[in-house]
Amino acid sequence: MQQFPGNCGATVEVPDFIELNNDQRREKINSDQRFTALMEARKKAKSFRGSLVWHTVSGTEHLMRSYYDSTGARRQKVEGQRSPATEAQKADWEASRASARQTLSARQEQMERQSAVNRALRLGRVPLIAARIIRAIDDAGLLGAGIRVAGTNAIYAYEAAAGVFVDPGITTTEDIDLLMDARQSLRIVAGTSIEDGALINLLRKVDRSFERSSATFRAVNRDGYLVDLIKPLSNPAWKKSRTTVGEADDELVAAEIVGLAWLENAPAFEAIAIDEKGGPLRIIVPDPRIFAAHKFWVSKQPDREPIKRRRDLAQAQAVGRLTAQYLEHLPYEASELRVLPQAVFEDARHLFEHSAPTA
């Protein structure tokens, strides 16, 4: 345990981190590498979506390509009349597609074996429902491109990058906060079969029981798991900004919360975490320095529920110390953290000034 000054002069004990052992560290590295290779194989296989077929027009055969453009719309293009060149083009395309599919299948099998190893070594941390939601957002092309994971679940990214386990008491949660970047034009890519490009329908692909609650920024499933869509306050207040991802009648409407502009403007931080079943996933979250400073600021707000303020404080202290101790390439310097107000930056400085505990 280490002791830190808390609010009102109180002393707060923050548990030390548990570092991965040699076996866990080795397999975490293997898992990251194999997951990256799998993502590359998926991207390659996806590039062959569509078809290359012969099409007869006015008695003449042409090679017709069907494909999806950058907006996800299906397009067609004539490659040329049938000839030795177009026949070779079609044969090469089909061979490359078959090779890409074989590679993808092999890497999926490899990842399944690696996931079993991850489970055996107890590397899994991200709750399965949260992991499925994050993967769905990633598959839809929104992760890091309009939506980031915020709140407690962001800590899984920081600990994965650091190679440590944070005290479960400050990471356990039954909800997930999705931070929407209202500055960006959000679009769910075609091929995901999501009606109206709506977030609520994307969640229903994960779990059909998700429904929008009476609080329109929130979805809840039959087990009581909550998904909150949040965004910064409009600045100036009268300025119109995006409030939804899609256009469904029951789409989630992002709740505006003060202070989130710091997270929205923070540099993105990406890590590969592991879910409870051993499966890796990408998580994109705000920079841990800004996360910790924001959490510390939230812990001092008088209208915040006392029990939540204590948890905010513990999370701020843990992420601050983790960053200083393990993520040394992220120094707490004003030149890199200009999105924070000066007073907030200075107030949180002490979170990053604690050295590693002595043995």
PDB file of all heavy atoms in Angstrom, residues 316-339:
ATOM      1  N   ALA A 316      -8.004   8.166  -9.925  1.00  0.00           N
ATOM      2  CA  ALA A 316      -7.058   9.206 -10.329  1.00  0.00           C
ATOM      3  C   ALA A 316      -5.668   8.903  -9.791  1.00  0.00           C
ATOM      4  O   ALA A 316      -4.660   9.005 -10.513  1.00  0.00           O
ATOM      5  CB  ALA A 316      -7.536  10.572  -9.830  1.00  0.00           C
ATOM      6  N   GLN A 317      -5.595   8.512  -8.527  1.00  0.00           N
ATOM      7  CA  GLN A 317      -4.310   8.223  -7.912  1.00  0.00           C
ATOM      8  C   GLN A 317      -3.653   6.998  -8.541  1.00  0.00           C
ATOM      9  O   GLN A 317      -2.440   6.986  -8.786  1.00  0.00           O
ATOM     10  CB  GLN A 317      -4.503   8.034  -6.403  1.00  0.00           C
ATOM     11  CG  GLN A 317      -4.885   9.326  -5.694  1.00  0.00           C
ATOM     12  CD  GLN A 317      -5.375   9.084  -4.269  1.00  0.00           C
ATOM     13  OE1 GLN A 317      -5.852   7.996  -3.955  1.00  0.00           O
ATOM     14  NE2 GLN A 317      -5.271  10.089  -3.427  1.00  0.00           N
ATOM     15  N   ALA A 318      -4.445   5.973  -8.810  1.00  0.00           N
ATOM     16  CA  ALA A 318      -3.888   4.751  -9.397  1.00  0.00           C
ATOM     17  C   ALA A 318      -3.361   5.005 -10.804  1.00  0.00           C
ATOM     18  O   ALA A 318      -2.247   4.582 -11.148  1.00  0.00           O
ATOM     19  CB  ALA A 318      -4.943   3.652  -9.418  1.00  0.00           C
ATOM     20  N   VAL A 319      -4.130   5.698 -11.640  1.00  0.00           N
ATOM     21  CA  VAL A 319      -3.700   5.946 -13.014  1.00  0.00           C
ATOM     22  C   VAL A 319      -2.521   6.917 -13.041  1.00  0.00           C
ATOM     23  O   VAL A 319      -1.587   6.756 -13.838  1.00  0.00           O
ATOM     24  CB  VAL A 319      -4.871   6.468 -13.869  1.00  0.00           C
ATOM     25  CG1 VAL A 319      -4.386   6.890 -15.261  1.00  0.00           C
ATOM     26  CG2 VAL A 319      -5.945   5.394 -13.997  1.00  0.00           C
ATOM     27  N   GLY A 320      -2.520   7.915 -12.148  1.00  0.00           N
ATOM     28  CA  GLY A 320      -1.390   8.833 -12.080  1.00  0.00           C
ATOM     29  C   GLY A 320      -0.113   8.104 -11.719  1.00  0.00           C
ATOM     30  O   GLY A 320       0.940   8.291 -12.351  1.00  0.00           O
ATOM     31  N   ARG A 321      -0.176   7.248 -10.718  1.00  0.00           N
ATOM     32  CA  ARG A 321       1.015   6.518 -10.286  1.00  0.00           C
ATOM     33  C   ARG A 321       1.450   5.492 -11.330  1.00  0.00           C
ATOM     34  O   ARG A 321       2.641   5.300 -11.568  1.00  0.00           O
ATOM     35  CB  ARG A 321       0.752   5.830  -8.944  1.00  0.00           C
ATOM     36  CG  ARG A 321       1.988   5.195  -8.333  1.00  0.00           C
ATOM     37  CD  ARG A 321       1.815   4.982  -6.841  1.00  0.00           C
ATOM     38  NE  ARG A 321       0.720   4.075  -6.533  1.00  0.00           N
ATOM     39  CZ  ARG A 321       0.857   2.751  -6.430  1.00  0.00           C
ATOM     40  NH1 ARG A 321       2.033   2.202  -6.630  1.00  0.00           N
ATOM     41  NH2 ARG A 321      -0.171   1.995  -6.120  1.00  0.00           N
ATOM     42  N   LEU A 322       0.477   4.824 -11.946  1.00  0.00           N
ATOM     43  CA  LEU A 322       0.797   3.862 -13.004  1.00  0.00           C
ATOM     44  C   LEU A 322       1.533   4.559 -14.150  1.00  0.00           C
ATOM     45  O   LEU A 322       2.528   4.046 -14.673  1.00  0.00           O
ATOM     46  CB  LEU A 322      -0.493   3.212 -13.508  1.00  0.00           C
ATOM     47  CG  LEU A 322      -0.401   2.183 -14.646  1.00  0.00           C
ATOM     48  CD1 LEU A 322      -1.546   1.182 -14.536  1.00  0.00           C
ATOM     49  CD2 LEU A 322      -0.460   2.842 -16.010  1.00  0.00           C
ATOM     50  N   THR A 323       1.053   5.742 -14.530  1.00  0.00           N
ATOM     51  CA  THR A 323       1.674   6.481 -15.634  1.00  0.00           C
ATOM     52  C   THR A 323       3.100   6.873 -15.288  1.00  0.00           C
ATOM     53  O   THR A 323       4.025   6.702 -16.086  1.00  0.00           O
ATOM     54  CB  THR A 323       0.838   7.725 -15.966  1.00  0.00           C
ATOM     55  OG1 THR A 323      -0.512   7.335 -16.272  1.00  0.00           O
ATOM     56  CG2 THR A 323       1.418   8.460 -17.167  1.00  0.00           C
ATOM     57  N   ALA A 324       3.291   7.417 -14.079  1.00  0.00           N
ATOM     58  CA  ALA A 324       4.624   7.858 -13.672  1.00  0.00           C
ATOM     59  C   ALA A 324       5.592   6.691 -13.527  1.00  0.00           C
ATOM     60  O   ALA A 324       6.778   6.802 -13.848  1.00  0.00           O
ATOM     61  CB  ALA A 324       4.529   8.629 -12.360  1.00  0.00           C
ATOM     62  N   GLN A 325       5.080   5.553 -13.060  1.00  0.00           N
ATOM     63  CA  GLN A 325       5.942   4.419 -12.741  1.00  0.00           C
ATOM     64  C   GLN A 325       6.257   3.539 -13.942  1.00  0.00           C
ATOM     65  O   GLN A 325       7.377   3.022 -14.064  1.00  0.00           O
ATOM     66  CB  GLN A 325       5.276   3.587 -11.646  1.00  0.00           C
ATOM     67  CG  GLN A 325       6.153   2.503 -11.026  1.00  0.00           C
ATOM     68  CD  GLN A 325       5.511   1.912  -9.779  1.00  0.00           C
ATOM     69  OE1 GLN A 325       4.816   2.603  -9.040  1.00  0.00           O
ATOM     70  NE2 GLN A 325       5.717   0.634  -9.562  1.00  0.00           N
ATOM     71  N   TYR A 326       5.293   3.388 -14.871  1.00  0.00           N
ATOM     72  CA  TYR A 326       5.466   2.435 -15.964  1.00  0.00           C
ATOM     73  C   TYR A 326       5.423   3.060 -17.357  1.00  0.00           C
ATOM     74  O   TYR A 326       5.979   2.498 -18.295  1.00  0.00           O
ATOM     75  CB  TYR A 326       4.395   1.350 -15.886  1.00  0.00           C
ATOM     76  CG  TYR A 326       4.473   0.516 -14.630  1.00  0.00           C
ATOM     77  CD1 TYR A 326       3.627   0.765 -13.549  1.00  0.00           C
ATOM     78  CD2 TYR A 326       5.408  -0.513 -14.505  1.00  0.00           C
ATOM     79  CE1 TYR A 326       3.692   0.005 -12.392  1.00  0.00           C
ATOM     80  CE2 TYR A 326       5.480  -1.281 -13.355  1.00  0.00           C
ATOM     81  CZ  TYR A 326       4.624  -1.012 -12.296  1.00  0.00           C
ATOM     82  OH  TYR A 326       4.697  -1.772 -11.149  1.00  0.00           O
ATOM     83  N   LEU A 327       4.736   4.171 -17.510  1.00  0.00           N
ATOM     84  CA  LEU A 327       4.611   4.798 -18.832  1.00  0.00           C
ATOM     85  C   LEU A 327       5.489   6.047 -18.867  1.00  0.00           C
ATOM     86  O   LEU A 327       5.011   7.172 -19.004  1.00  0.00           O
ATOM     87  CB  LEU A 327       3.136   5.131 -19.126  1.00  0.00           C
ATOM     88  CG  LEU A 327       2.155   3.958 -18.995  1.00  0.00           C
ATOM     89  CD1 LEU A 327       0.730   4.420 -19.290  1.00  0.00           C
ATOM     90  CD2 LEU A 327       2.547   2.807 -19.929  1.00  0.00           C
ATOM     91  N   GLU A 328       6.774   5.811 -18.761  1.00  0.00           N
ATOM     92  CA  GLU A 328       7.720   6.917 -18.615  1.00  0.00           C
ATOM     93  C   GLU A 328       7.829   7.775 -19.871  1.00  0.00           C
ATOM     94  O   GLU A 328       8.367   8.890 -19.816  1.00  0.00           O
ATOM     95  CB  GLU A 328       9.089   6.377 -18.215  1.00  0.00           C
ATOM     96  CG  GLU A 328       9.081   5.658 -16.867  1.00  0.00           C
ATOM     97  CD  GLU A 328      10.450   5.123 -16.486  1.00  0.00           C
ATOM     98  OE1 GLU A 328      11.394   5.936 -16.444  1.00  0.00           O
ATOM     99  OE2 GLU A 328      10.561   3.911 -16.241  1.00  0.00           O
ATOM    100  N   HIS A 329       7.325   7.276 -20.994  1.00  0.00           N
ATOM    101  CA  HIS A 329       7.345   8.079 -22.218  1.00  0.00           C
ATOM    102  C   HIS A 329       6.242   9.128 -22.217  1.00  0.00           C
ATOM    103  O   HIS A 329       6.136   9.918 -23.173  1.00  0.00           O
ATOM    104  CB  HIS A 329       7.182   7.165 -23.446  1.00  0.00           C
ATOM    105  CG  HIS A 329       5.857   6.457 -23.504  1.00  0.00           C
ATOM    106  ND1 HIS A 329       5.503   5.461 -22.614  1.00  0.00           N
ATOM    107  CD2 HIS A 329       4.799   6.603 -24.347  1.00  0.00           C
ATOM    108  CE1 HIS A 329       4.288   5.019 -22.911  1.00  0.00           C
ATOM    109  NE2 HIS A 329       3.845   5.700 -23.951  1.00  0.00           N
ATOM    110  N   LEU A 330       5.443   9.165 -21.146  1.00  0.00           N
ATOM    111  CA  LEU A 330       4.361  10.142 -21.034  1.00  0.00           C
ATOM    112  C   LEU A 330       4.599  11.031 -19.808  1.00  0.00           C
ATOM    113  O   LEU A 330       3.942  10.882 -18.780  1.00  0.00           O
ATOM    114  CB  LEU A 330       3.005   9.424 -20.916  1.00  0.00           C
ATOM    115  CG  LEU A 330       2.583   8.545 -22.100  1.00  0.00           C
ATOM    116  CD1 LEU A 330       1.277   7.824 -21.780  1.00  0.00           C
ATOM    117  CD2 LEU A 330       2.447   9.378 -23.383  1.00  0.00           C
ATOM    118  N   PRO A 331       5.535  11.949 -19.885  1.00  0.00           N
ATOM    119  CA  PRO A 331       5.815  12.825 -18.738  1.00  0.00           C
ATOM    120  C   PRO A 331       4.672  13.803 -18.509  1.00  0.00           C
ATOM    121  O   PRO A 331       3.960  14.183 -19.451  1.00  0.00           O
ATOM    122  CB  PRO A 331       7.092  13.554 -19.160  1.00  0.00           C
ATOM    123  CG  PRO A 331       7.023  13.588 -20.658  1.00  0.00           C
ATOM    124  CD  PRO A 331       6.389  12.273 -21.049  1.00  0.00           C
ATOM    125  N   TYR A 332       4.526  14.212 -17.257  1.00  0.00           N
ATOM    126  CA  TYR A 332       3.469  15.166 -16.916  1.00  0.00           C
ATOM    127  C   TYR A 332       4.014  16.574 -17.146  1.00  0.00           C
ATOM    128  O   TYR A 332       4.502  17.237 -16.228  1.00  0.00           O
ATOM    129  CB  TYR A 332       3.015  14.975 -15.476  1.00  0.00           C
ATOM    130  CG  TYR A 332       1.700  15.671 -15.167  1.00  0.00           C
ATOM    131  CD1 TYR A 332       0.507  15.204 -15.703  1.00  0.00           C
ATOM    132  CD2 TYR A 332       1.662  16.789 -14.337  1.00  0.00           C
ATOM    133  CE1 TYR A 332      -0.695  15.835 -15.431  1.00  0.00           C
ATOM    134  CE2 TYR A 332       0.464  17.424 -14.055  1.00  0.00           C
ATOM    135  CZ  TYR A 332      -0.715  16.945 -14.605  1.00  0.00           C
ATOM    136  OH  TYR A 332      -1.909  17.575 -14.332  1.00  0.00           O
ATOM    137  N   GLU A 333       3.938  17.006 -18.389  1.00  0.00           N
ATOM    138  CA  GLU A 333       4.468  18.302 -18.778  1.00  0.00           C
ATOM    139  C   GLU A 333       3.380  19.138 -19.421  1.00  0.00           C
ATOM    140  O   GLU A 333       2.601  18.656 -20.241  1.00  0.00           O
ATOM    141  CB  GLU A 333       5.633  18.126 -19.755  1.00  0.00           C
ATOM    142  CG  GLU A 333       6.835  17.395 -19.165  1.00  0.00           C
ATOM    143  CD  GLU A 333       7.940  17.187 -20.181  1.00  0.00           C
ATOM    144  OE1 GLU A 333       7.712  17.517 -21.369  1.00  0.00           O
ATOM    145  OE2 GLU A 333       9.006  16.690 -19.805  1.00  0.00           O
ATOM    146  N   ALA A 334       3.372  20.412 -19.072  1.00  0.00           N
ATOM    147  CA  ALA A 334       2.335  21.315 -19.565  1.00  0.00           C
ATOM    148  C   ALA A 334       2.326  21.414 -21.081  1.00  0.00           C
ATOM    149  O   ALA A 334       1.270  21.549 -21.702  1.00  0.00           O
ATOM    150  CB  ALA A 334       2.518  22.701 -18.943  1.00  0.00           C
ATOM    151  N   SER A 335       3.510  21.322 -21.703  1.00  0.00           N
ATOM    152  CA  SER A 335       3.586  21.474 -23.154  1.00  0.00           C
ATOM    153  C   SER A 335       2.816  20.386 -23.897  1.00  0.00           C
ATOM    154  O   SER A 335       2.392  20.588 -25.033  1.00  0.00           O
ATOM    155  CB  SER A 335       5.059  21.456 -23.606  1.00  0.00           C
ATOM    156  OG  SER A 335       5.676  20.226 -23.241  1.00  0.00           O
ATOM    157  N   GLU A 336       2.626  19.230 -23.248  1.00  0.00           N
ATOM    158  CA  GLU A 336       1.902  18.125 -23.884  1.00  0.00           C
ATOM    159  C   GLU A 336       0.450  18.040 -23.432  1.00  0.00           C
ATOM    160  O   GLU A 336      -0.317  17.248 -23.981  1.00  0.00           O
ATOM    161  CB  GLU A 336       2.608  16.801 -23.565  1.00  0.00           C
ATOM    162  CG  GLU A 336       4.034  16.720 -24.103  1.00  0.00           C
ATOM    163  CD  GLU A 336       4.619  15.336 -23.926  1.00  0.00           C
ATOM    164  OE1 GLU A 336       3.856  14.381 -23.728  1.00  0.00           O
ATOM    165  OE2 GLU A 336       5.852  15.206 -24.002  1.00  0.00           O
ATOM    166  N   LEU A 337       0.083  18.824 -22.450  1.00  0.00           N
ATOM    167  CA  LEU A 337      -1.250  18.695 -21.852  1.00  0.00           C
ATOM    168  C   LEU A 337      -1.986  20.022 -21.852  1.00  0.00           C
ATOM    169  O   LEU A 337      -2.660  20.386 -20.886  1.00  0.00           O
ATOM    170  CB  LEU A 337      -1.116  18.147 -20.426  1.00  0.00           C
ATOM    171  CG  LEU A 337      -0.359  16.810 -20.312  1.00  0.00           C
ATOM    172  CD1 LEU A 337      -0.138  16.447 -18.858  1.00  0.00           C
ATOM    173  CD2 LEU A 337      -1.115  15.697 -21.026  1.00  0.00           C
ATOM    174  N   ARG A 338      -1.898  20.731 -22.952  1.00  0.00           N
ATOM    175  CA  ARG A 338      -2.492  22.070 -23.017  1.00  0.00           C
ATOM    176  C   ARG A 338      -4.011  22.054 -22.987  1.00  0.00           C
ATOM    177  O   ARG A 338      -4.634  23.095 -22.782  1.00  0.00           O
ATOM    178  CB  ARG A 338      -2.013  22.788 -24.286  1.00  0.00           C
ATOM    179  CG  ARG A 338      -0.532  23.140 -24.272  1.00  0.00           C
ATOM    180  CD  ARG A 338      -0.184  24.068 -25.427  1.00  0.00           C
ATOM    181  NE  ARG A 338       1.233  24.402 -25.458  1.00  0.00           N
ATOM    182  CZ  ARG A 338       2.130  23.770 -26.195  1.00  0.00           C
ATOM    183  NH1 ARG A 338       1.745  22.745 -26.954  1.00  0.00           N
ATOM    184  NH2 ARG A 338       3.391  24.135 -26.187  1.00  0.00           N
ATOM    185  N   VAL A 339      -4.620  20.893 -23.210  1.00  0.00           N
ATOM    186  CA  VAL A 339      -6.084  20.842 -23.186  1.00  0.00           C
ATOM    187  C   VAL A 339      -6.625  21.031 -21.773  1.00  0.00           C
ATOM    188  O   VAL A 339      -7.803  21.350 -21.591  1.00  0.00           O
ATOM    189  CB  VAL A 339      -6.617  19.521 -23.774  1.00  0.00           C
ATOM    190  CG1 VAL A 339      -6.156  19.351 -25.206  1.00  0.00           C
ATOM    191  CG2 VAL A 339      -6.199  18.330 -22.938  1.00  0.00           C
TER     192      VAL A 339
END
